[in-house]
Amino acid sequence: MDSGFSVASYFVLVLILLFILNVIKSWNKNDVKNFPPGPRCLPLIGNLHLIDLKKPHLSYLEFSKKYGPVFSVQMGMKKIVVLTGYETVKDALVNKAEDFGERGMLKIFKKMDNGMGLTLSQGENWKTMRRFTITTLRDFGMGKSSLEEKVAEECTTVTKYFATFKGKPFENIMILNAAVANIIVSILLGYRMDYDDPQFKRLLSLTNENVRLLGTPMVSLFNIFPFITLLPGSHKKIQQNVAEVCDFIEKTFVEHLKNLDENDQRSFIDAFLVRQKEDAGNPHSYFHNKNLTQVVRSLFAAGMETTSTTLRWGILLMMKYPKIQEKVQEEISRVLGSAQPMYSHRGQMPFTNAVIHEIQRFSDILPTGVIRETSKDVTFRGYFVPKGTYIIPLLTSVLKDSTQFEKPYEFYPEHFLDSKGNFVKKDAFMPFSAGRRACAGETLARMELFMFFASLLQKFTFCFPPGVNNVDLSSVGGITNAPQPHMIRAVSR
């Protein structure tokens, strides 16, 4: 029998079986009394026909206009509750942090981490790994001057690299990825990697590819209909990429184990291996090699992708708004002169600080957040949400909440300035999410963004290549909002 026909026939049979099961179980929202409202579902596919799988947050924003700040969608056979607007999201993630604090274990997450590590784990494993990770990151300088100096050194390296183009157009994805990644790499491994190191380039490429693939429609369908695992597609490629990254990490910590000195821990991996030795003999210890591999992998990805993408948006927006760029540069020159920008300078540079915050707000890097799950039955805003329900805290609806930001869909640094030009914090500024599942590396990311951005604007004026007079500010589809491919010119000041 033709193999193509066999796969297609199997696919159709499974769909028919699911349809029959759906009818038998009377699958609809009325199964749960007082569940949040949402669009009418079709058998088997739920609301898939109504959702843009490349940019689902745009569909959710439209649904919220009709169904309110708490509504539901049905993806295949799975009910999901979507939370929109600052007040609603804050109420769930901060005021009811425990109730909405579990990670939603999508099928692709299980294939990637198998419940291990930090970002995509649950329960005691997550609590233990998060405690250890935050403590260890602090031990290795997060929030301290020692790490600030390390970031400053990387800022010097990347500005020198930009200068080699001598004002000619170039593409900045990989170089910014490498510069930002080196900060977390130096903590994880105990040393930085050269921008031209083939292994480093490969790790960056694999991570970038996975970020893009995680946002593809095929992965969304795999999460809904796991039998798709039999077919080729993005879900398969993600697993292959993860396996390759994990292989590198495993080889690396084996080398660390050979030279481990418990009295001279030089990296995150060293600290984990020491803790592993201390827990030897404990069958319930979470400090095993699988957790180490996945924690290091997730920290590498999280510590590189979102920050470097935000910096790319920052440079693009400075090209788009040259008067704002000039004002940032004027403040840098007035406050610092030629001195290296440090994180401690941000208090003296309110406009630069406001511009960076507005870059994060406007670029909206992670519009849907990372999916959550209720840890128990919850009554929320008058609705009943059962334990184990997937929750999407729609961060884009917070960062662009018109009740919190005067011009939510415009790039407007004055969102973070008062009438006297002083920097103003906004509670609705949630690019790192909020509550118990907020980004563990938020302090490091804030430091990197300020120092890299200020260092680049101190040394260069960014402008369009010849013949380009404007820029497309729409984003590329993926799990994060990345800018469209573009070239930049970095003209020395």
Side-chain angles (χ1 to χ4, degrees):
M1 182 182 291
D2 179 74
S3 59
F5 178 77
S6 297
V7 171
S9 300
Y10 180 80
F11 186 77
V12 170
L13 286 172
V14 171
L15 287 178
I16 292 171
L17 177 60
L18 286 173
F19 177 82
I20 294 171
L21 288 173
N22 167 51
V23 174
I24 291 172
K25 293 174 69 177
S26 299
W27 167 62
N28 57 55
K29 285 189 174 65
N30 294 325
D31 290 343
V32 179
K33 188 177 180 181
N34 207 28
F35 196 72
R40 185 177 180 83
C41 300
L42 291 180
L44 188 64
I45 66 170
N47 299 131
L48 279 178
H49 62 302
L50 302 175
I51 296 172
D52 179 353
L53 293 182
K54 291 184 178 179
K55 294 187 177 181
H57 62 283
L58 298 180
S59 301
Y60 299 150
L61 287 173
E62 287 301 310
F63 292 156
S64 70
K65 293 175 183 177
K66 182 176 181 179
Y67 300 104
V70 182
F71 65 90
S72 62
V73 292
Q74 198 145 320
M75 305 288 274
M77 300 178 73
K78 185 71 176 179
K79 297 173 183 178
I80 300 173
V81 171
V82 183
L83 310 176
T84 65
Y86 165 64
E87 294 294 344
T88 303
V89 172
K90 177 192 174 186
D91 195 12
L93 302 192
V94 178
N95 300 337
K96 294 183 178 290
E98 289 291 329
D99 297 349
F100 291 89
E102 282 292 8
R103 174 65 67 230
M105 293 307 293
L106 299 174
K107 295 295 188 294
I108 193 65
F109 290 171
K110 290 180 181 178
K111 289 290 185 181
M112 290 169 69
D113 282 8
N114 196 30
M116 302 296 171
L118 176 64
T119 308
L120 307 179
S121 63
Q122 294 181 330
E124 285 303 316
N125 187 93
W126 171 76
K127 290 178 183 177
T128 302
M129 289 300 100
R130 183 176 173 86
R131 255 193 320 267
F132 173 82
T133 296
I134 291 176
T135 299
T136 306
L137 288 177
R138 286 173 182 162
D139 289 344
F140 284 97
M142 189 170 75
K144 299 177 182 178
S145 59
S146 58
L147 187 57
E148 196 174 8
E149 291 167 5
K150 193 170 290 185
V151 176
E153 292 174 5
E154 203 65 43
C155 287
T156 299
T157 302
V158 76
T159 53
K160 287 180 178 178
Y161 194 95
F162 271 43
T164 63
F165 292 95
K166 298 180 180 179
K168 295 179 181 179
F170 67 100
E171 204 285 326
N172 64 355
I173 294 180
M174 291 304 290
I175 178 58
L176 287 177
N177 281 348
V180 173
N182 253 335
I183 307 302
I184 194 67
V185 164
S186 67
I187 296 172
L188 295 173
L189 307 185
Y191 56 85
R192 69 180 297 281
M193 300 179 77
D194 188 270
Y195 295 161
D196 294 321
D197 182 329
Q199 182 66 69
F200 193 30
K201 285 184 173 182
R202 180 62 180 164
L203 291 173
L204 295 173
S205 177
L206 291 169
T207 302
N208 271 332
E209 185 175 31
N210 272 5
V211 168
R212 181 179 60 80
L213 294 177
L214 280 167
T216 58
M218 187 64 178
V219 169
S220 296
L221 291 173
F222 171 71
N223 286 327
I224 300 164
F225 305 115
F227 58 80
I228 287 177
T229 191
L230 298 169
L231 304 177
S234 305
H235 57 297
K236 292 281 192 182
K237 183 60 178 171
I238 287 171
Q239 293 171 58
Q240 292 169 12
N241 290 350
V242 167
E244 186 174 339
V245 174
C246 289
D247 183 59
F248 168 79
I249 294 169
E250 287 164 6
K251 289 176 181 175
T252 301
F253 67 66
V254 165
E255 290 303 312
H256 278 248
L257 191 57
K258 290 178 182 177
N259 304 303
L260 185 63
D261 183 346
E262 296 180 21
N263 299 313
D264 184 22
Q265 299 170 34
R266 299 184 180 184
S267 68
F268 182 96
I269 291 177
D270 284 355
F272 193 104
L273 292 172
V274 167
R275 182 64 182 271
Q276 188 180 66
K277 281 192 170 186
E278 292 172 355
D279 274 16
N282 176 7
H284 305 295
S285 174
Y286 293 103
F287 291 88
H288 47 72
N289 287 355
K290 288 183 179 179
N291 253 339
L292 174 54
T293 302
Q294 298 302 348
V295 168
V296 170
R297 189 190 65 78
S298 62
L299 286 175
F300 177 81
M304 177 273 285
E305 209 283 331
T306 54
T307 300
S308 62
T309 299
T310 304
L311 286 171
R312 289 178 59 223
W313 274 115
I315 291 173
L316 193 60
L317 287 163
M318 292 305 95
M319 292 161 56
K320 171 79 170 176
Y321 300 104
K323 290 184 178 179
I324 294 176
Q325 179 173 202
E326 289 173 15
K327 197 170 178 180
V328 170
Q329 290 172 327
E330 184 279 325
E331 184 176 70
I332 292 171
S333 297
R334 174 166 44 82
V335 175
L336 299 178
S338 60
Q340 168 67 49
M342 304 297 281
Y343 191 48
S344 52
H345 290 135
R346 69 194 183 284
Q348 303 166 252
M349 302 167 66
F351 187 75
T352 303
N353 200 16
V355 167
I356 292 169
H357 279 69
E358 181 66 357
I359 290 166
Q360 289 183 268
R361 188 202 69 81
F362 181 83
S363 60
D364 191 15
I365 296 295
L366 202 61
T368 60
V370 183
I371 198 163
R372 306 284 187 102
E373 184 177 301
T374 47
S375 60
K376 61 182 180 181
D377 291 349
V378 181
T379 298
F380 181 74
R381 298 279 174 124
Y383 298 110
F384 177 72
V385 183
K387 176 182 179 180
T389 302
Y390 284 173
I391 305 293
I392 294 176
L394 201 64
L395 296 186
T396 189
S397 70
V398 179
L399 295 175
K400 296 180 179 175
D401 189 329
S402 60
T403 69
Q404 303 296 314
F405 299 101
E406 181 184 350
K407 300 178 181 181
Y409 290 95
E410 295 181 25
F411 183 70
Y412 189 62
E414 286 77 7
H415 283 140
F416 297 94
L417 295 167
D418 64 17
S419 59
K420 296 181 180 179
N422 299 310
F423 178 77
V424 176
K425 291 182 178 180
K426 291 288 185 76
D427 290 339
F429 180 71
M430 288 186 185
F432 300 102
S433 193
R436 67 201 295 262
R437 280 281 182 173
C439 174
E442 178 177 345
T443 303
L444 174 59
R446 286 177 179 272
M447 178 188 291
E448 291 171 339
L449 283 172
F450 183 85
M451 292 179 66
F452 276 112
F453 183 77
S455 295
L456 289 167
L457 269 289
Q458 181 187 52
K459 300 292 186 184
F460 306 102
T461 294
F462 293 97
C463 50
F464 298 119
V468 179
N469 300 312
N470 211 329
V471 64
D472 180 0
L473 291 181
S474 65
S475 61
V476 176
I479 197 171
T480 61
N481 271 340
Q484 295 286 343
H486 61 277
M487 303 288 279
I488 69 169
R489 288 179 62 221
V491 180
S492 295
R493 297 180 64 209

